[in-house]
Coordinates of all heavy atoms in Angstrom, one line a residue:
M1 N 1.4 9.0 19.7 CA 2.4 8.2 18.9 C 1.7 7.7 17.6 O 0.5 7.3 17.6 CB 2.8 7.0 19.7 CG 3.6 7.4 20.9 SD 5.2 8.0 20.6 CE 6.2 6.5 20.3
I2 N 2.5 7.7 16.6 CA 2.0 7.2 15.3 C 2.9 6.0 14.8 O 4.1 6.1 14.9 CB 2.0 8.2 14.2 CG1 1.3 9.5 14.7 CG2 1.4 7.8 12.9 CD1 1.5 10.7 13.7
L3 N 2.3 4.9 14.4 CA 3.0 3.8 13.9 C 2.9 3.9 12.3 O 1.8 3.8 11.7 CB 2.4 2.5 14.3 CG 3.2 1.2 13.9 CD1 4.5 1.2 14.4 CD2 2.4 0.0 14.2
Y4 N 4.1 4.1 11.7 CA 4.2 4.2 10.3 C 4.8 2.9 9.8 O 5.7 2.4 10.4 CB 5.1 5.3 9.8 CG 4.4 6.7 9.9 CD1 5.1 7.8 10.3 CD2 3.1 6.9 9.4 CE1 4.5 9.1 10.3 CE2 2.5 8.1 9.4 CZ 3.2 9.2 9.9 OH 2.7 10.4 9.9
T5 N 4.3 2.4 8.7 CA 4.9 1.3 7.9 C 5.9 2.0 7.0 O 5.4 2.8 6.1 CB 3.9 0.5 7.2 OG1 3.0 -0.1 8.2 CG2 4.6 -0.6 6.5
L6 N 7.1 1.6 7.1 CA 8.2 2.2 6.3 C 8.7 1.2 5.2 O 8.6 0.0 5.5 CB 9.3 2.8 7.1 CG 8.9 3.7 8.2 CD1 10.1 4.2 9.0 CD2 8.2 4.9 7.6
R7 N 9.3 1.8 4.2 CA 9.8 0.9 3.2 C 11.1 1.4 2.7 O 11.2 2.6 2.4 CB 8.7 0.9 2.0 CG 9.1 0.2 0.8 CD 8.0 0.4 -0.2 NE 8.3 -0.1 -1.5 CZ 9.1 0.5 -2.4 NH1 9.6 1.6 -2.1 NH2 9.3 -0.1 -3.6
C8 N 12.1 0.6 2.5 CA 13.4 1.0 2.0 C 13.4 0.8 0.4 O 12.4 0.3 -0.2 CB 14.5 0.2 2.6 SG 14.8 -1.4 1.9
S9 N 14.4 1.2 -0.2 CA 14.5 1.1 -1.7 C 14.6 -0.3 -2.1 O 14.5 -0.6 -3.3 CB 15.7 1.9 -2.2 OG 16.9 1.4 -1.7
H10 N 14.9 -1.2 -1.2 CA 14.9 -2.7 -1.6 C 13.6 -3.4 -1.3 O 13.6 -4.6 -1.2 CB 16.1 -3.4 -0.9 CG 17.4 -2.8 -1.2 ND1 18.1 -1.9 -0.4 CD2 18.2 -2.9 -2.3 CE1 19.3 -1.6 -1.0 NE2 19.3 -2.2 -2.2
D11 N 12.6 -2.6 -1.0 CA 11.3 -3.1 -0.8 C 11.1 -3.9 0.5 O 10.4 -4.8 0.5 CB 10.8 -3.9 -2.0 CG 9.3 -3.9 -2.1 OD1 8.6 -3.0 -1.7 OD2 8.7 -4.8 -2.7
H12 N 11.9 -3.5 1.5 CA 11.7 -4.1 2.8 C 10.7 -3.3 3.5 O 10.9 -2.1 3.5 CB 13.0 -4.2 3.6 CG 14.1 -5.0 2.9 ND1 15.4 -4.6 2.8 CD2 14.0 -6.2 2.3 CE1 16.1 -5.5 2.2 NE2 15.3 -6.5 1.9
H13 N 9.8 -3.9 4.2 CA 8.8 -3.1 5.0 C 9.1 -3.4 6.5 O 9.4 -4.5 6.9 CB 7.4 -3.6 4.6 CG 7.0 -3.1 3.3 ND1 7.5 -3.6 2.1 CD2 6.0 -2.2 2.9 CE1 6.9 -3.1 1.1 NE2 6.0 -2.2 1.5
F14 N 9.0 -2.3 7.2 CA 9.1 -2.4 8.6 C 8.4 -1.3 9.3 O 8.0 -0.3 8.6 CB 10.6 -2.4 9.1 CG 11.4 -1.1 8.6 CD1 11.6 -0.1 9.5 CD2 11.8 -1.0 7.4 CE1 12.3 1.0 9.1 CE2 12.5 0.1 6.9 CZ 12.7 1.1 7.8
E15 N 8.1 -1.4 10.6 CA 7.3 -0.4 11.3 C 8.1 0.4 12.3 O 9.1 -0.1 12.9 CB 6.1 -1.1 12.0 CG 5.1 -1.7 11.0 CD 4.0 -2.4 11.7 OE1 4.2 -2.9 12.9 OE2 2.9 -2.5 11.1
E16 N 7.8 1.6 12.4 CA 8.5 2.5 13.3 C 7.5 3.5 14.0 O 6.6 4.0 13.3 CB 9.5 3.3 12.5 CG 10.5 4.1 13.3 CD 11.9 3.4 13.4 OE1 12.1 2.4 12.7 OE2 12.7 3.8 14.3
W17 N 7.8 3.7 15.3 CA 6.9 4.6 16.0 C 7.4 6.0 16.0 O 8.6 6.2 16.1 CB 6.8 4.2 17.5 CG 5.9 3.0 17.7 CD1 6.2 1.7 17.8 CD2 4.4 3.0 17.7 NE1 5.1 1.0 18.0 CE2 4.0 1.7 18.0 CE3 3.5 4.0 17.7 CZ2 2.7 1.4 18.1 CZ3 2.1 3.7 17.8 CH2 1.7 2.4 18.0
F18 N 6.5 7.0 15.8 CA 6.9 8.4 15.8 C 6.0 9.1 16.8 O 4.8 8.7 16.9 CB 6.9 9.0 14.4 CG 7.8 8.3 13.5 CD1 7.4 7.3 12.6 CD2 9.2 8.7 13.4 CE1 8.3 6.6 11.8 CE2 10.0 8.0 12.5 CZ 9.6 7.0 11.7
S19 N 6.5 10.2 17.3 CA 5.7 11.1 18.2 C 4.5 11.7 17.4 O 3.4 11.8 17.8 CB 6.5 12.2 18.8 OG 7.6 11.6 19.4
N20 N 4.9 12.1 16.1 CA 3.9 12.7 15.3 C 4.5 12.8 13.9 O 5.7 12.3 13.7 CB 3.5 14.1 15.8 CG 4.7 14.9 16.1 OD1 5.7 15.0 15.3 ND2 4.8 15.5 17.3
S21 N 3.8 13.4 12.9 CA 4.3 13.3 11.6 C 5.6 14.2 11.5 O 6.5 14.0 10.6 CB 3.3 13.8 10.6 OG 2.9 15.1 10.9
A22 N 5.7 15.3 12.3 CA 6.9 16.1 12.3 C 8.1 15.4 12.8 O 9.2 15.6 12.3 CB 6.6 17.4 13.1
D23 N 7.8 14.5 13.7 CA 9.0 13.7 14.2 C 9.5 12.8 13.1 O 10.7 12.6 12.9 CB 8.4 12.8 15.4 CG 9.5 11.9 16.0 OD1 10.7 12.4 16.0 OD2 9.2 10.9 16.5
Y24 N 8.5 12.2 12.3 CA 8.9 11.4 11.1 C 9.8 12.3 10.2 O 10.8 11.8 9.7 CB 7.7 10.9 10.4 CG 7.9 10.4 9.1 CD1 8.5 9.1 8.9 CD2 7.7 11.2 8.0 CE1 8.7 8.6 7.6 CE2 8.0 10.7 6.7 CZ 8.5 9.5 6.5 OH 8.7 9.0 5.2
D25 N 9.2 13.5 9.9 CA 10.0 14.3 8.9 C 11.4 14.6 9.4 O 12.4 14.6 8.6 CB 9.2 15.6 8.7 CG 7.9 15.4 7.9 OD1 7.8 14.3 7.2 OD2 7.0 16.2 8.0
A26 N 11.5 14.9 10.7 CA 12.8 15.3 11.3 C 13.8 14.1 11.2 O 14.9 14.2 10.8 CB 12.6 15.7 12.7
K27 N 13.2 12.9 11.5 CA 14.1 11.7 11.4 C 14.5 11.4 10.0 O 15.6 11.0 9.7 CB 13.5 10.5 12.1 CG 13.5 10.7 13.6 CD 12.9 9.5 14.3 CE 13.1 9.7 15.8 NZ 12.2 8.8 16.6
K28 N 13.6 11.6 9.1 CA 13.8 11.3 7.7 C 14.9 12.3 7.2 O 15.8 11.9 6.5 CB 12.6 11.4 6.9 CG 12.8 11.1 5.4 CD 11.4 11.0 4.7 CE 11.6 10.9 3.2 NZ 12.6 9.9 2.8
D29 N 14.7 13.6 7.5 CA 15.7 14.6 7.1 C 17.0 14.3 7.7 O 18.0 14.6 7.0 CB 15.2 16.0 7.5 CG 14.0 16.5 6.7 OD1 13.7 15.9 5.7 OD2 13.4 17.5 7.1
A30 N 17.1 13.8 8.9 CA 18.4 13.5 9.5 C 19.0 12.2 9.1 O 20.0 11.8 9.6 CB 18.2 13.6 11.0
A31 N 18.2 11.5 8.2 CA 18.7 10.2 7.7 C 18.9 9.2 8.9 O 19.8 8.4 8.8 CB 20.0 10.3 6.8
S32 N 18.1 9.3 9.9 CA 18.2 8.4 11.0 C 17.2 7.3 10.8 O 17.1 6.5 11.7 CB 18.0 9.1 12.3 OG 16.7 9.7 12.3
L33 N 16.5 7.2 9.7 CA 15.6 6.1 9.4 C 16.5 5.1 8.6 O 16.9 5.4 7.5 CB 14.4 6.5 8.6 CG 13.5 7.6 9.3 CD1 12.4 8.0 8.4 CD2 13.0 7.0 10.6
V34 N 16.7 3.9 9.2 CA 17.5 2.9 8.5 C 16.8 1.6 8.5 O 16.1 1.2 9.5 CB 18.8 2.7 9.3 CG1 19.7 1.7 8.7 CG2 19.6 4.0 9.5
C35 N 16.8 1.0 7.3 CA 16.2 -0.3 7.2 C 16.8 -1.3 8.1 O 18.1 -1.5 8.1 CB 16.2 -0.8 5.8 SG 15.6 -2.4 5.5
P36 N 16.1 -2.0 8.9 CA 16.7 -3.0 9.9 C 17.2 -4.2 9.1 O 18.0 -5.0 9.7 CB 15.6 -3.4 10.8 CG 14.4 -3.1 10.1 CD 14.6 -1.9 9.2
E37 N 16.8 -4.4 7.9 CA 17.2 -5.6 7.1 C 18.4 -5.4 6.4 O 19.3 -6.3 6.3 CB 16.0 -6.1 6.2 CG 14.9 -6.7 7.0 CD 13.9 -7.3 6.0 OE1 14.3 -8.2 5.2 OE2 12.7 -7.0 6.0
C38 N 18.6 -4.2 5.7 CA 19.7 -4.1 4.9 C 20.5 -2.8 5.2 O 21.5 -2.5 4.6 CB 19.3 -4.1 3.4 SG 18.3 -2.6 3.0
G39 N 20.1 -2.0 6.1 CA 20.8 -0.8 6.5 C 20.6 0.3 5.6 O 21.3 1.4 5.7
D40 N 19.7 0.2 4.6 CA 19.4 1.2 3.6 C 18.9 2.5 4.3 O 18.0 2.3 5.2 CB 18.5 0.7 2.6 CG 18.3 1.6 1.4 OD1 18.9 2.7 1.4 OD2 17.7 1.2 0.5
K41 N 19.3 3.6 4.0 CA 18.8 4.9 4.5 C 17.8 5.5 3.6 O 17.3 6.6 3.9 CB 19.9 5.8 4.9 CG 20.7 5.3 6.0 CD 21.7 6.3 6.5 CE 22.5 5.8 7.8 NZ 23.5 6.8 8.3
D42 N 17.6 4.9 2.5 CA 16.6 5.5 1.5 C 15.3 4.9 1.9 O 14.8 4.0 1.3 CB 17.0 5.1 0.1 CG 16.1 5.8 -0.9 OD1 15.2 6.7 -0.5 OD2 16.2 5.5 -2.1
V43 N 14.7 5.5 3.0 CA 13.5 4.9 3.6 C 12.4 5.9 3.4 O 12.6 7.1 3.6 CB 13.8 4.6 5.0 CG1 12.5 4.2 5.8 CG2 14.7 3.4 5.1
G44 N 11.2 5.5 3.1 CA 10.1 6.3 3.1 C 8.8 5.6 3.6 O 8.8 4.4 3.9
K45 N 7.8 6.4 3.7 CA 6.5 5.8 4.2 C 6.0 4.8 3.1 O 6.0 5.2 1.9 CB 5.5 6.8 4.4 CG 5.4 7.3 5.9 CD 4.2 8.2 6.1 CE 4.7 9.7 6.0 NZ 3.7 10.7 6.4
A46 N 5.6 3.7 3.5 CA 5.0 2.7 2.6 C 3.6 3.2 2.2 O 2.9 3.9 3.0 CB 4.9 1.4 3.2
I47 N 3.2 2.9 1.0 CA 1.9 3.3 0.6 C 0.9 2.5 1.4 O 1.0 1.2 1.3 CB 1.7 3.1 -0.9 CG1 2.8 3.8 -1.7 CG2 0.3 3.6 -1.3 CD1 2.8 5.3 -1.6
M48 N 0.0 3.1 2.1 CA -0.9 2.4 2.9 C -2.0 1.8 1.9 O -2.4 2.4 0.9 CB -1.6 3.3 3.9 CG -0.7 3.8 4.9 SD 0.3 2.5 5.8 CE -0.1 2.9 7.4
A49 N -2.5 0.7 2.2 CA -3.6 0.0 1.4 C -4.8 1.0 1.5 O -5.2 1.4 2.5 CB -3.9 -1.3 2.0
P50 N -5.3 1.3 0.3 CA -6.5 2.2 0.3 C -7.7 1.5 1.0 O -7.8 0.3 1.0 CB -6.8 2.4 -1.2 CG -6.1 1.3 -1.9 CD -4.9 0.8 -1.0
N51 N -8.5 2.3 1.6 CA -9.6 1.9 2.3 C -10.7 1.5 1.4 O -11.8 2.1 1.4 CB -10.0 2.9 3.3 CG -10.3 2.4 4.7 OD1 -10.1 1.2 4.9 ND2 -10.8 3.2 5.6
V52 N -10.5 0.4 0.7 CA -11.5 0.1 -0.3 C -12.5 -0.9 0.2 O -12.2 -1.8 1.1 CB -10.9 -0.5 -1.6 CG1 -11.9 -1.1 -2.5 CG2 -10.0 0.5 -2.3
G53 N -13.7 -0.8 -0.1 CA -14.7 -1.7 0.3 C -15.3 -1.5 1.7 O -16.1 -2.3 2.2
K54 N -14.8 -0.5 2.4 CA -15.3 -0.2 3.7 C -16.3 1.0 3.7 O -16.8 1.3 4.8 CB -14.2 0.1 4.6 CG -13.4 -1.1 5.0 CD -12.4 -0.8 6.2 CE -11.7 -2.1 6.5 NZ -10.7 -1.9 7.5
S55 N -16.6 1.6 2.6 CA -17.6 2.6 2.5 C -18.9 2.1 3.0 O -19.4 1.1 2.5 CB -17.6 3.3 1.2 OG -18.0 2.3 0.2
S56 N -19.5 2.8 3.9 CA -20.7 2.2 4.5 C -21.9 2.4 3.5 O -22.2 3.5 3.0 CB -21.0 2.9 5.8 OG -21.1 4.3 5.5
A57 N -22.4 1.3 3.1 CA -23.6 1.3 2.3 C -24.8 1.9 3.1 O -24.8 1.7 4.3 CB -24.0 -0.1 1.8
A58 N -25.7 2.5 2.4 CA -26.8 3.1 3.1 C -27.6 2.0 3.7 O -27.9 1.0 3.1 CB -27.7 3.9 2.1
P59 N -27.9 2.1 4.9 CA -28.6 1.0 5.6 C -30.0 0.9 5.0 O -30.7 1.9 4.7 CB -28.6 1.4 7.1 CG -28.4 2.9 7.1 CD -27.7 3.2 5.9
M60 N -30.4 -0.4 4.9 CA -31.8 -0.6 4.4 C -32.8 -0.1 5.5 O -32.6 -0.4 6.7 CB -32.0 -2.1 4.2 CG -31.2 -2.7 3.0 SD -31.8 -2.1 1.5 CE -33.3 -3.0 1.3
P61 N -33.8 0.6 5.0 CA -34.8 1.0 6.0 C -35.5 -0.2 6.6 O -35.8 -1.1 5.9 CB -35.7 1.9 5.2 CG -35.5 1.5 3.8 CD -34.1 1.0 3.7
A62 N -35.6 -0.2 7.9 CA -36.2 -1.3 8.5 C -37.7 -1.3 8.2 O -38.4 -0.3 8.2 CB -36.1 -1.3 10.0
P63 N -38.3 -2.4 7.8 CA -39.7 -2.4 7.5 C -40.5 -2.1 8.8 O -40.1 -2.6 9.9 CB -40.0 -3.9 7.1 CG -38.8 -4.6 7.5 CD -37.6 -3.7 7.6
S64 N -41.5 -1.3 8.7 CA -42.2 -0.8 9.8 C -43.3 -1.8 10.1 O -44.0 -1.6 11.2 CB -42.7 0.6 9.6 OG -43.5 0.6 8.4
C65 N -43.6 -2.7 9.3 CA -44.5 -3.8 9.7 C -44.0 -5.1 9.2 O -43.0 -5.1 8.5 CB -45.9 -3.5 9.2 SG -46.1 -3.4 7.5
G66 N -44.7 -6.2 9.4 CA -44.1 -7.5 9.3 C -44.0 -8.0 7.8 O -43.5 -9.0 7.6
T67 N -44.6 -7.2 6.9 CA -44.6 -7.7 5.5 C -43.3 -7.5 4.8 O -42.6 -6.5 5.1 CB -45.7 -7.0 4.7 OG1 -45.4 -5.6 4.6 CG2 -47.1 -7.1 5.3
P68 N -42.9 -8.4 3.9 CA -41.6 -8.2 3.2 C -41.5 -6.9 2.5 O -40.4 -6.4 2.3 CB -41.6 -9.4 2.3 CG -42.6 -10.4 2.8 CD -43.6 -9.5 3.5
M69 N -42.5 -6.4 2.0 CA -42.5 -5.1 1.2 C -42.6 -3.9 2.0 O -42.5 -2.8 1.6 CB -43.6 -5.1 0.2 CG -43.4 -6.3 -0.8 SD -45.0 -6.8 -1.6 CE -45.9 -7.5 -0.2
G70 N -42.7 -4.1 3.3 CA -42.9 -2.9 4.2 C -44.3 -2.4 4.1 O -45.2 -3.1 3.5
C71 N -44.5 -1.3 4.7 CA -45.9 -0.8 4.8 C -46.5 -0.5 3.5 O -47.8 -0.6 3.4 CB -45.9 0.5 5.7 SG -46.0 0.2 7.4
G72 N -45.7 -0.3 2.4 CA -46.3 0.0 1.1 C -47.1 -1.1 0.6 O -48.1 -0.9 -0.1
G73 N -46.7 -2.4 1.0 CA -47.4 -3.5 0.5 C -48.4 -4.1 1.5 O -49.0 -5.2 1.2
C74 N -48.5 -3.5 2.6 CA -49.3 -4.0 3.7 C -50.8 -3.6 3.4 O -51.1 -2.5 3.0 CB -48.8 -3.4 5.0 SG -49.8 -4.0 6.4
P75 N -51.7 -4.6 3.5 CA -53.1 -4.3 3.4 C -53.6 -3.2 4.3 O -54.5 -2.5 4.0 CB -53.8 -5.6 3.7 CG -52.8 -6.6 3.6 CD -51.4 -6.0 3.9
M76 N -52.9 -3.0 5.4 CA -53.3 -1.9 6.3 C -52.5 -0.7 6.2 O -52.4 0.1 7.2 CB -53.3 -2.5 7.8 CG -54.3 -3.6 8.0 SD -54.1 -4.4 9.6 CE -54.6 -3.0 10.7
A77 N -51.8 -0.5 5.1 CA -51.0 0.7 4.9 C -51.8 2.0 5.2 O -52.9 2.1 4.7 CB -50.4 0.8 3.5
G78 N -51.3 2.9 5.9 CA -51.9 4.1 6.3 C -52.8 4.0 7.5 O -53.3 5.0 8.0
Q79 N -53.0 2.7 7.9 CA -53.9 2.6 9.1 C -53.1 2.2 10.3 O -53.6 2.1 11.4 CB -54.9 1.5 8.9 CG -55.9 1.8 7.7 CD -56.8 0.7 7.5 OE1 -57.4 0.1 8.4 NE2 -57.0 0.3 6.2
H80 N -51.7 2.1 10.1 CA -50.9 1.8 11.3 C -49.5 2.3 11.1 O -49.3 3.0 10.1 CB -50.9 0.3 11.6 CG -50.1 -0.5 10.6 ND1 -49.4 -1.7 10.9 CD2 -50.0 -0.4 9.2 CE1 -48.9 -2.1 9.7 NE2 -49.3 -1.4 8.7
Ligands
ZN1 ZN1 16.0 -2.8 3.3

């Protein structure tokens, strides 16, 4: 099942469950998608909010010894 956020031509948003995207297409083609607020049949998928800001930043490499600079600044670099 897929939950789509739908939007009518009057900018009402509502959610509807579909078996799959083909089910959505079939119901849209049959004009059986109706806005529950105004009865508008000019209904389409709402633009989903883009996934901004969730791209995973490269994780900082964990310092391999206790110094803030990591092993490069450690007096014992190369020895442990
Ligand atoms: Zn509406």
